Amino acid sequence: MFKFKQFSINQDRCAMKVGTDGVLLGAWAPVHHSPFSVLDIGAGTGIIALMLAQRSHAEKIDALEIDEDAYEQSVENFEASPWGDRLFCFHAGLDEFIEEPEDEYDLIVSNPPFYAEDYKTENEQRDLARFQDAMPFEEIVEAADLLLSENGILAIIIPFKEEEKFIALAKESELYPIKITRVKGTPKSEIKRSLLAFSRNEVLEIETDELIIEIDRHVYTPEYTELTKDFYLKM
């Protein structure tokens, strides 16, 4: 079990455990527009949806998870949290979910599978969670185009090397970047991740910054501490 300040995560049945990417997105995703409804695409343990329940007053937080074990685990984590009445998980793939869209969302978040490489491991469940072919970027953009409310925001974390491609893809659906944070592990390491937020309204100036996680092993930067202090027990 992974304990946060206001909730805990059971993750024994999830292929993808609690990791920095999910925590980053959950803490970073914009909520300044006071979203009423949130959708988390590819819930895993449910961590991002739970973080957004803690950070916002959204009355409806839906999560989507295709893997049965992960789905059951996120339901369990939702029900054990203080916000069980606002959280709901669907056991479905994104393609099924968007076939009959019932609602619009003010915030859509996703920490999608990354590895587009050709090799697969022996663990099919973990591959499904890790490999991009399980949920291509095109599908996320299509879903956002269909499901985002007029002033809604799409927030996503992806490998930095995919940033240009994703921004170009989003632009085709008239979704434009409003905020970009590039993440480095240490001051000397390369940029590893991009946190991207998109809206239907193009802005003249995109808010852009860089976030460094550690100065030294387990010595976190003031910026990372500030971002995650409401969640991590030891921050």
Side-chain angles (χ1 to χ4, degrees), residues 3-7 54 228-235:
K3 280 189 182 303
F4 290 92
K5 283 183 178 167
Q6 293 191 36
F7 61 90
Q54 181 181 322
T228 58
K229 70 179 189 318
D230 290 344
F231 301 99
Y232 282 131
L233 290 174
K234 291 177 181 166
M235 284 295 190

Side-chain angles (χ1 to χ4, degrees), residues 6-62:
Q6 293 191 36
F7 61 90
S8 295
I9 296 277
N10 278 309
Q11 50 180 3
D12 53 301
R13 286 180 290 153
C14 277
M16 293 310 293
K17 308 299 182 196
V18 170
T20 307
D21 288 346
V23 173
L24 277 170
L25 183 62
W28 179 91
V31 292
H32 61 270
H33 61 310
S34 304
F36 172 84
S37 52
V38 176
L39 175 66
D40 176 11
I41 298 172
T45 58
I47 182 171
I48 297 168
L50 283 158
M51 290 176 76
L52 290 166
Q54 181 181 322
R55 287 182 59 214
S56 75
H57 296 294
E59 289 186 29
K60 179 179 136 147
I61 302 174
D62 289 342

Side-chain angles (χ1 to χ4, degrees), residues 186-197:
T186 66
K188 291 183 176 166
S189 58
E190 293 178 359
I191 297 171
K192 191 178 171 193
R193 296 280 184 262
S194 294
L195 286 153
L196 308 172

Side-chain angles (χ1 to χ4, degrees), residues 1-234:
M1 181 185 278
F2 201 105
K3 280 189 182 303
F4 290 92
K5 283 183 178 167
Q6 293 191 36
F7 61 90
S8 295
I9 296 277
N10 278 309
Q11 50 180 3
D12 53 301
R13 286 180 290 153
C14 277
M16 293 310 293
K17 308 299 182 196
V18 170
T20 307
D21 288 346
V23 173
L24 277 170
L25 183 62
W28 179 91
V31 292
H32 61 270
H33 61 310
S34 304
F36 172 84
S37 52
V38 176
L39 175 66
D40 176 11
I41 298 172
T45 58
I47 182 171
I48 297 168
L50 283 158
M51 290 176 76
L52 290 166
Q54 181 181 322
R55 287 182 59 214
S56 75
H57 296 294
E59 289 186 29
K60 179 179 136 147
I61 302 174
D62 289 342
L64 202 55
E65 179 50 61
I66 194 169
D67 179 83
E68 189 165 359
D69 286 336
Y71 158 74
E72 286 173 5
Q73 192 121 65
S74 62
V75 169
E76 176 189 327
N77 289 331
F78 288 174
E79 287 174 353
S81 80
W83 315 287
D85 57 336
R86 296 157 57 200
L87 291 151
F88 186 82
C89 195
F90 292 91
H91 182 207
L94 184 55
D95 50 352
E96 292 172 70
F97 189 75
I98 60 176
E99 269 176 19
E100 295 173 30
E102 289 179 22
D103 297 298
E104 287 188 326
Y105 294 92
D106 303 317
L107 177 62
I108 296 177
V109 289
S110 187
N111 172 17
F114 288 156
Y115 292 101
E117 277 86 303
D118 294 334
Y119 66 88
K120 295 272 196 279
T121 69
E122 295 303 302
N123 183 336
E124 195 179 326
Q125 188 189 16
R126 190 170 170 81
D127 287 345
L128 187 68
R130 287 303 283 266
F131 281 79
Q132 202 189 309
D133 55 18
M135 193 202 299
F137 290 159
E138 287 82 358
E139 222 169 278
I140 295 169
V141 170
E142 182 191 347
D145 185 26
L146 200 64
L147 300 172
L148 263 190
S149 62
E150 193 181 343
N151 296 306
I153 291 173
L154 165 67
I156 189 166
I157 183 166
I158 57 172
F160 171 63
K161 64 175 201 275
E162 305 278 2
E163 183 189 296
E164 273 185 40
K165 174 183 160 187
F166 195 92
I167 289 172
L169 200 60
K171 192 178 178 183
E172 288 174 20
S173 292
E174 295 178 0
L175 294 167
Y176 305 100
I178 53 170
K179 187 180 175 190
I180 298 173
T181 297
R182 299 184 178 106
V183 184
K184 296 167 79 163
T186 66
K188 291 183 176 166
S189 58
E190 293 178 359
I191 297 171
K192 191 178 171 193
R193 296 280 184 262
S194 294
L195 286 153
L196 308 172
F198 297 85
S199 119
R200 296 189 189 276
N201 311 305
E202 203 165 355
V203 294
L204 290 172
E205 212 164 304
I206 301 164
E207 193 187 322
T208 308
D209 59 10
E210 192 172 274
L211 176 69
I212 297 165
I213 294 176
E214 292 179 317
I215 303 160
D216 222 337
R217 186 89 180 123
H218 298 309
V219 181
Y220 298 104
T221 62
E223 293 78 12
Y224 184 71
T225 303
E226 180 60 31
L227 185 67
T228 58
K229 70 179 189 318
D230 290 344
F231 301 99
Y232 282 131
L233 290 174
K234 291 177 181 166

